[in-house]
Amino acid sequence: MANIRFSRKLFEKEIGKLDKTMQNKIAMFGTTLESFDDEEIEIEVFPNRPDLLSYQGFKRSFLGFLGKEKGIKKYKINPPEKDYVVKIDSSLKKIRPYTACAVIKGLKFKDEKIKEIIEIQEKLHNTIGRKRKKIAIGIYPLEKIKFPITFKALEPDKIKFVPLEMEKELSGLEILQRHPTGREYAHLLAGKEKFPIFIDAKGDIMSMPPIINSNLTGKITEKTKDVFVECSGFDFEIAKKCLNIIVTTLADMGGKIYQIELKGEVNEKTPDLTPQETPLSIENANKILGLELDEKQIKELLGKMGHEYEKGIVKSPAWRTDILHEIDLIEDIAIAYGYENFEAEIPEISTIGEEDKKETIKRKIAEILSGLGLLETSSYHLTKPEDMFKKMNVPEKMKNNYLEVEDSKTDYTLLRKNLTHCLLRIFSENSDSEYPQKIFESGRVFELQQGKIIEKESLSVAVIPSNFTEIKQILNYLFKMLDLEIEIKETENFSPWFIDGRVAEIRINNKKIGEIGEIHPKILRNWKLKYPVALFEIELEEIFELIKEEG
Amino acid sequence: MNLKKIVESLSQNERKIIPYLDNSLKDICKKTTLDKVSVLRALEFLQNKGVVKLKTNKIQWISLGINGILYRKKGLPERRLLNKLAERIILPLENAKRISGLTDDEFKAAIGALKRKAMIEIKNGKIFLSAKKEEIAKKTLEEKFLESLPRKYEDLQPEEMYALKSLQERRGIIEIKNKTEVNITITELGKKLMKTELKNEEYIEAIDEKLIKSGKWKGKKFRRYDVTSPVPEIYGGKRHFVNQAIDYGRKIRTEMGFKEMTGNMTVSSFWNFDALFTAQDHPVREMHDTFFLKDVKAELPDKKLVEAVKKAHEGGIAGSRGWGYEWNEEEAKKMLIRTHTTCLSSQTLAKLKEKDLPAKFFAIGTNFRNETVDWNHGFELLQTEGIVVDPNANFRHLLGYLKQFAEKMGFKKIRFRPAYFPYTEPSLEGDVWNEEKQEWVELIAAGIFRPEVTEPLLGKPIPVLAWGPGFGRMIMSLFKIKDIRELNKNDLTQLRKMKFLIK
């Protein structure tokens, strides 16, 4: 999510005093007031409204919401001057097929303004631009460029220019390897045979989108008054919207908008600020919102949100990217109406509440065990490979069937296969807590078997210091209370953390559901435990089934 | 308590030590033949009864270390070296070491000490004795100090402090221990008690089987207990506090007529994202935010549903423009661990029949985000989810359900403001008022599922009210916890002390 900051003085001069009511209005417009002091105001803009990512864009919409302006703000669009042409080459097809361009004249670039524009550009890159993958924006000083411009793809070694913030000429590949911005976005061009470039009529390369502009033809300075703007990417509609957002922001800063003629597969003049039309049913709006608004009220409310309503059709500004369906307009009606003005209501519909049966059984098991003085614990589902395998002495050939997450930011990278190691970890972390320690946990364990994920509910009980007799007493008590019969059977085939001869299979209806035993001192040492541990772990799925059948 | 009652409350050990209260602790032990622990315990009890006042002083006690004991017997290394030197005046270093019988360390220390005192000089690998006879005969500060041990640290004179420091630099000579010293002051009450004749009248201590059976209590007195004195704490077994809170959340929901949804924590991108109209290039679908699983691919549900979802994303469905991109089936097959319990809602809606409407469902469960861990963040989060599927549902109902739930969870003041989620429209966030901080705290995310979600899943755009408050925050507020890591910390000392949730 993106935040924007602007001067409080400017806000109070152009919009209004930032008192409690105004603070609340900002939140109720859908832009959270993150923070403010005497100098600055910071608000959060949700990703569906990139048109609010500049002070100018926010002011334009917020004045409407406050009722100070109404409908779609009008901007004058000048037709292209004689050679304002951008040719789009078919070589771009699979590389970066689209661009939408414009010229803005008469800007005054003070140092501060340049910074502001770069910030807006970066925010758009990171939101609707999807970190330049979908859309990248370039801004160039008009006086350095000669029209017509060509947008085409070229082999990387044929691309040679001095990129911004560098003094030496680099090739396309060198830019990806050596320039800091090049390295950051290299993945967007990596592996492509050709890289996209804008090149002017003099043959000067202006930029290599979505990476970097040329230092010669693509650098804005305080002397710049007129600029050429382009948005390139994979989605022409979004490129055009993005261009609309930038040109109207620049126009609000005092610039005049001129169109560019695009020539190639699409032949269009951009920017085009013709409003977008969406049909709206007043009946649907009232039904969804639970209101009884008439046409006049709807018109009024939509007007506050910068739309224009006429006979079932809503015209929306060409810089709004979020109107996909009438439901988006209905939300705007709700915002204009004010979320605080809706009367909350609970309808009289009768439904029957029901807890999941497994949860009931799990709760009963927990009650039985806590009655024995055991404490329930709650571990993470993700675990460390070291904890699940190494410390448990799992041999290399048995380290399988586990699920691993990609690119975890912590060292918890596997989904747990059992709870046993989690309970030993708890003992290990609690060596300064009073003994004996008697704990249990029930929860989900995960396994990968033949490409399929098996998720099961599991239960483990562990006691330190303890022995086989004590843990078996607990197991027996639990199953007596559940009124289920289990069988304890000697086994040769047991988990590597138990002691041979002090481990058994727990069976129910001739089916193995778990293991019970004493933990081998090797494992105790791995966990730095000074006392003996006995424990059991069982799958609960069979128990759920048996209890349900009886149920 | 009056004197009589106090007399009746005295235990046998207390009776034993009362006559000797004006003695030192050591002497009390001697005279009563009780061990120190029993005497101290009895003194504590007497203090509780106002008979004595105890003052414990921490003192630092200087005593001899292992080497110190040895040196007191055999002499410090420098003394031993000096004695050998006194016989010969000049000695080569090599010989000196052999003759003195010192270890390397001792020899080095001895040379250093004697040089510091200007008693020797070293030239050309030889030691020259420069001290006079009288000087040699005199005991050094260190020697005197060593002989005076053990001592209290606070009693040391300045030159003794110097000796202590120089000896402390050498291994094992000095040991300093912290000891506590108990001073007994007898109160007025105590003085009276000492004068009172404590008849050897038998008081009954603990009641046992024999006593009950024999009836020997008849005519005897029970020793009075100090019923106000503290006892050691005990702790019982209990459910983890997170599960107590989850059970409470579950209770509220079932009371409100909601049916529980459960399901796998591992889920396909299809159910977690695509069915919820989250575009495939949405940042949440990057590895940076979501835990994708290695080496496994999902099977997609029936073709009709997949086609409808694809259409919703690409060109739109139910009057929508769609996101306008090419939807990729492979992307939908990526398996992940769920980022929200809303994936249970999407699966539930796909199974729902129109005759079952209206219907209300809830879920409480763990979700996962690829995050680092600090007091405010973690990679596992608890969420509670609610949906109402009702052809007549509207935005005001949504606010009603949320208000009711928040009130039941103990939040009295709530406000709603616009928000954005890819799968709901209108969307909102609910803030609750935090009295302590005097500010609004975000708690609930909610909205009505978009037609692009409901049309493919339900076959027609029936309104579905949906909300998903973070449950972790509510639990933290219920148990007054400030650090989110405590939810999975499993500190047994803390768990034993944790209060029950009385709700």
Side-chain angles (χ1 to χ4, degrees), chain B residues 73-116:
Chain B
K73 232 190 306 181
K74 288 171 64 179
L76 281 165
E78 54 266 42
R79 171 59 62 191
R80 280 143 70 190
L81 181 60
L82 203 57
N83 289 342
K84 296 290 170 199
L85 270 172
E87 295 164 11
R88 311 188 190 190
I89 314 295
I90 302 171
L91 259 179
L93 277 167
E94 294 276 304
N95 294 1
K97 200 191 149 213
R98 190 168 35 82
I99 298 169
S100 62
L102 298 172
T103 67
D104 280 357
D105 283 350
E106 288 176 330
F107 186 67
K108 265 184 223 154
I111 295 280
L114 294 175
K115 264 167 81 177
R116 249 194 320 269

Side-chain angles (χ1 to χ4, degrees), chain B residues 356-370:
Chain B
D356 300 327
L357 300 186
K360 301 194 277 198
F361 298 95
F362 80 98
I364 302 184
T366 305
N367 301 314
F368 301 81
R369 306 268 160 91
N370 197 354

Side-chain angles (χ1 to χ4, degrees), chain B residues 16-39:
Chain B
K16 273 192 191 163
I17 67 170
I18 282 173
Y20 310 113
L21 283 177
D22 46 1
N23 285 265
S24 74
L25 185 61
K26 221 170 163 182
D27 291 339
I28 298 179
C29 293
K30 222 185 269 171
K31 290 179 180 165
T32 55
T33 70
L34 291 170
D35 62 85
K36 196 174 157 194
V37 177
S38 311
V39 172

Side-chain angles (χ1 to χ4, degrees), chain B residues 254-450:
Chain B
T254 46
E255 277 171 3
M256 284 165 76
F258 285 73
K259 194 174 168 191
E260 184 162 12
M261 308 181 271
T262 53
N264 280 357
M265 290 181 179
T266 55
V267 66
S268 64
S269 296
F270 181 84
W271 290 116
N272 197 74
F273 294 129
D274 295 288
L276 292 165
F277 199 52
T278 305
Q280 293 190 324
D281 70 348
H282 192 284
V284 76
R285 301 184 67 155
E286 285 170 22
M287 270 189 271
H288 190 73
D289 283 327
T290 297
F291 283 124
F292 287 95
L293 291 166
K294 286 186 184 169
D295 310 322
V296 60
K297 280 261 171 286
E299 272 172 39
L300 295 185
D302 71 272
K303 244 202 163 112
K304 204 178 134 208
L305 176 56
V306 175
E307 277 307 310
V309 167
K310 178 181 158 93
K311 201 172 147 206
H313 280 247
E314 289 186 341
I317 195 166
S320 164
R321 291 188 170 89
W323 293 121
Y325 71 101
E326 205 176 303
W327 187 80
N328 181 351
E329 198 169 293
E330 287 311 306
E331 197 62 36
K333 284 182 183 168
K334 283 189 183 169
M335 283 298 285
L336 49 90
I337 23 183
R338 68 186 181 206
T339 65
H340 49 187
T341 41
T342 316
C343 65
L344 297 176
S345 298
S346 57
Q347 293 172 76
T348 302
L349 291 183
K351 277 182 265 175
L352 205 59
K353 305 268 184 313
E354 206 173 342
K355 66 173 172 44
D356 300 327
L357 300 186
K360 301 194 277 198
F361 298 95
F362 80 98
I364 302 184
T366 305
N367 301 314
F368 301 81
R369 306 268 160 91
N370 197 354
E371 276 261 23
T372 50
V373 181
D374 64 28
W375 69 275
N376 200 23
H377 301 89
F379 51 76
E380 297 197 7
L381 314 150
L382 279 165
Q383 189 193 341
T384 157
E385 172 94 9
I387 52 171
V388 175
V389 195
D390 173 8
N392 298 313
N394 66 43
F395 191 62
R396 285 170 50 213
H397 298 161
L398 176 64
L399 303 185
Y401 286 115
L402 292 177
K403 240 182 169 157
Q404 190 186 25
F405 182 68
E407 272 165 21
K408 292 211 176 197
M409 288 306 292
F411 301 103
K412 290 191 188 76
K413 221 166 132 188
I414 184 164
R415 77 165 184 188
F416 302 111
R417 55 183 169 72
Y420 169 75
F421 308 102
Y423 44 92
T424 56
E425 195 83 5
S427 305
L428 64 87
E429 271 172 354
D431 301 331
V432 293
W433 183 250
N434 184 318
E435 268 307 322
E436 203 180 309
K437 290 191 207 152
Q438 287 288 305
E439 63 180 21
W440 292 104
V441 181
E442 189 185 316
L443 189 78
I444 297 171
I448 302 176
F449 277 159
R450 297 187 64 98

Side-chain angles (χ1 to χ4, degrees), chain B residues 8 109 120 139 191 264 275 329 338 341 450 462 472 487:
Chain B
E8 286 175 10
I120 58 164
K139 278 187 183 161
K191 285 174 189 160
N264 280 357
E329 198 169 293
R338 68 186 181 206
T341 41
R450 297 187 64 98
I462 295 167
L487 301 185

